[in-house]
Amino acid sequence: MVEKLLADFRAGDKVAAARIITMLEKGDPKGKEILKDLYKQCGRGYVIGLTGPAGAGKSTLTDALVKELRKKDYRVGVVAIDPTSPFTGGALLGDRIRMGDIAMDPGVFIRSMGTRGNLGGLSWEARDALTVLDAFGCDYLIVETVGAGQSQVEVEKVVDTVVMVTVPGLGDDIQANKAGIMEIGDLYVVNKADRGDADQVVRYLEASLELGHKTEGWQPRVCKTIAWKGEGVADVLDAITAHRSFLEETGKLEEMRKIRTYEEIIARARKMVIDELKEYKGINEIVERVYNRDQDPITAAEELVNSVVK
Amino acid sequence: MSNIRVLVAKVGLDGHDRGAKVIVRALRDAGMEVIYTGIRQTPEQIVAAAIQEDVDVIGLSSLSGGHMHLFPKVVNLLNEKVPDNNILVIGGGIIPDDDIEELKKAGIAAIFGPGTPLKDIINLIEEKAGK
């Protein structure tokens, strides 16, 4: 069954790609084996992250960006994330509503996902889906994050270019200068530019960005868009392409991706160790020992780790 | 984690989705992952979305009278594109009682009209598509 699935996947079958993503979402061990196999073929795709507050127009902008990329005949994979209820585990995944036109395009694959307990971050499932779509032959991968607040900056660790999307009416130059999410954009988009004073928001952002950016030598651009009309979107793609060229020419892309690889290995290792620790059978006796002051928690932790990590 | 994934779609030239949104909300609150694709969807769009999202259930809504043509078209297209699928297709909206038998023959597992308790819909999905 796995061989058939992989053969179909390699032949470009979207059903197979979707089923592999599902296996990874469910934590199916066979999915992990497939991912190991696919890893060799990925790394070609360029990853763009769209983040910003709920309702800023991230889905609509994603739709418009995909259309621009398709004009240049690039294949595009989209992972669109919406919040999972912390109470019921359910989710309303509504990003596709804005992407109806591109749903049937043979060169586009869109997958909606819930945050599933990852507060503002990107779940492993989302990262795995990106790997699958990369191996599927997508030239560009777009991650649309869950609506973000001020400090949800995890997307920066996973993508090559961060597009920070905002809209008029959300605040003044103090907001533009706050730490956190306002620092992570490689470019900024003021969407819904036909509403409110978009030019003023652009000025606030530009004034803030003139004072410095996380990446030395890079000056982020601020673009204005009316995403539902497609206005300004070609400009956004130009800015993304410019950032990509900058990263490639300065060697920063390689540098960044190596750090990301290192962090992924550590994070996966950490997860494996924690999973093992949680399953450790003698844990209750250890707790009892430490509780009764027969042993200190530091020694207990050392012994526990030593017994799990062989 | 293994949530039931449901695609809810308004099929055809039908812009009234208050009912569909109530269903979406009820299924969300029942712990399902609900992908809502919005109004005026063609069967082709719905099937393309169902494939990429790898859903367990497709819920079709129609209030405009196109159900006899459009609901079976979704099922046929789905079976053509994904012959080994076991996706549960259900429907709802303004569907005359006389049409229900034929829709069931065409592969729509259940039809829910106005006034259906939300629990009935949830129960059917959990029973037939639960994991």
Side-chain angles (χ1 to χ4, degrees), chain B residues 9-83:
Chain B
K10 293 285 310 181
V11 61
L13 285 175
D14 182 357
H16 298 273
D17 67 346
R18 176 76 196 143
K21 282 173 179 159
V22 171
I23 302 291
V24 165
R25 178 58 195 272
L27 300 183
R28 188 205 85 178
D29 289 341
M32 300 177 197
E33 285 189 348
V34 192
I35 297 130
Y36 181 46
T37 53
I39 58 175
R40 300 194 191 103
Q41 298 286 296
T42 64
E44 287 80 4
Q45 279 176 313
I46 292 166
V47 171
I51 287 173
Q52 291 166 36
E53 300 291 353
D54 195 19
V55 293
D56 307 294
V57 183
I58 299 176
L60 299 170
S61 160
S62 172
L63 312 184
S64 62
H67 53 274
M68 293 306 276
H69 174 65
L70 294 165
F71 285 12
K73 206 170 164 195
V74 171
V75 176
N76 294 340
L77 207 58
L78 188 64
N79 291 337
E80 180 195 316
K81 300 258 179 195
V82 196

Side-chain angles (χ1 to χ4, degrees), chain A residues 14-15 18-19 22 25-26 88-94 96-97 100-101 103-104 108-112 114 116, chain B residues 1-3 5 24 28-29 31-38 42 44-45 48-49 51-54 82 84 131:
Chain A
K14 285 187 181 177
V15 176
R19 285 180 179 168
T22 304
E25 267 191 319
K26 288 183 182 164
T88 67
L92 162 51
L93 310 177
R96 274 195 102 97
I97 297 179
D101 293 343
M104 276 162 28
V108 179
F109 190 107
I110 307 165
R111 181 68 168 230
S112 312
R116 297 190 174 192
Chain B
M1 276 222 307
S2 190
N3 301 65
R5 282 171 70 86
V24 165
R28 188 205 85 178
D29 289 341
M32 300 177 197
E33 285 189 348
V34 192
I35 297 130
Y36 181 46
T37 53
T42 64
E44 287 80 4
Q45 279 176 313
I51 287 173
Q52 291 166 36
E53 300 291 353
D54 195 19
V82 196
D84 63 340
K131 308 166 189 183

Side-chain angles (χ1 to χ4, degrees), chain A residues 209-274:
Chain A
L209 292 164
E210 273 167 18
L211 302 177
H213 185 254
K214 59 171 178 156
T215 313
E216 212 188 299
W218 176 250
Q219 189 59 41
R221 279 187 49 196
V222 182
C223 306
K224 275 196 299 180
T225 57
I226 307 172
W228 73 275
K229 288 185 189 168
E231 272 177 37
V233 180
D235 205 30
V236 175
L237 186 55
D238 284 347
I240 292 170
T241 311
H243 183 244
R244 180 181 186 167
S245 304
F246 164 80
L247 291 178
E248 284 170 350
E249 281 156 21
T250 54
K252 283 197 188 330
L253 186 66
E254 192 182 322
E255 195 183 305
M256 226 168 61
R257 285 185 172 185
K258 270 190 189 151
I259 294 172
R260 204 187 297 161
T261 305
Y262 164 78
E263 282 178 352
E264 175 168 2
I265 296 166
I266 297 290
R268 285 196 189 270
R270 182 188 290 131
K271 185 170 181 297
M272 275 180 213
V273 172
I274 288 171

Side-chain angles (χ1 to χ4, degrees), chain A residues 144-206:
Chain A
E144 185 197 327
T145 73
V146 69
Q150 288 178 304
S151 56
Q152 291 157 325
V153 296
E154 293 84 348
V155 64
E156 193 241 349
K157 292 203 172 82
V158 181
V159 308
D160 299 319
T161 296
V162 178
V163 181
M164 168 68 202
V165 187
T166 187
V167 285
L170 292 185
D172 58 8
D173 51 342
I174 295 298
Q175 298 301 336
N177 276 300
K178 282 191 179 170
I181 200 160
M182 294 311 292
E183 295 178 274
I184 66 167
D186 296 305
L187 62 124
Y188 292 75
V189 173
V190 179
N191 189 35
K192 307 192 189 181
D194 51 346
R195 295 195 186 185
D197 195 347
D199 289 325
Q200 192 174 44
V201 183
V202 172
R203 281 197 299 278
Y204 287 153
L205 288 169
E206 281 175 347

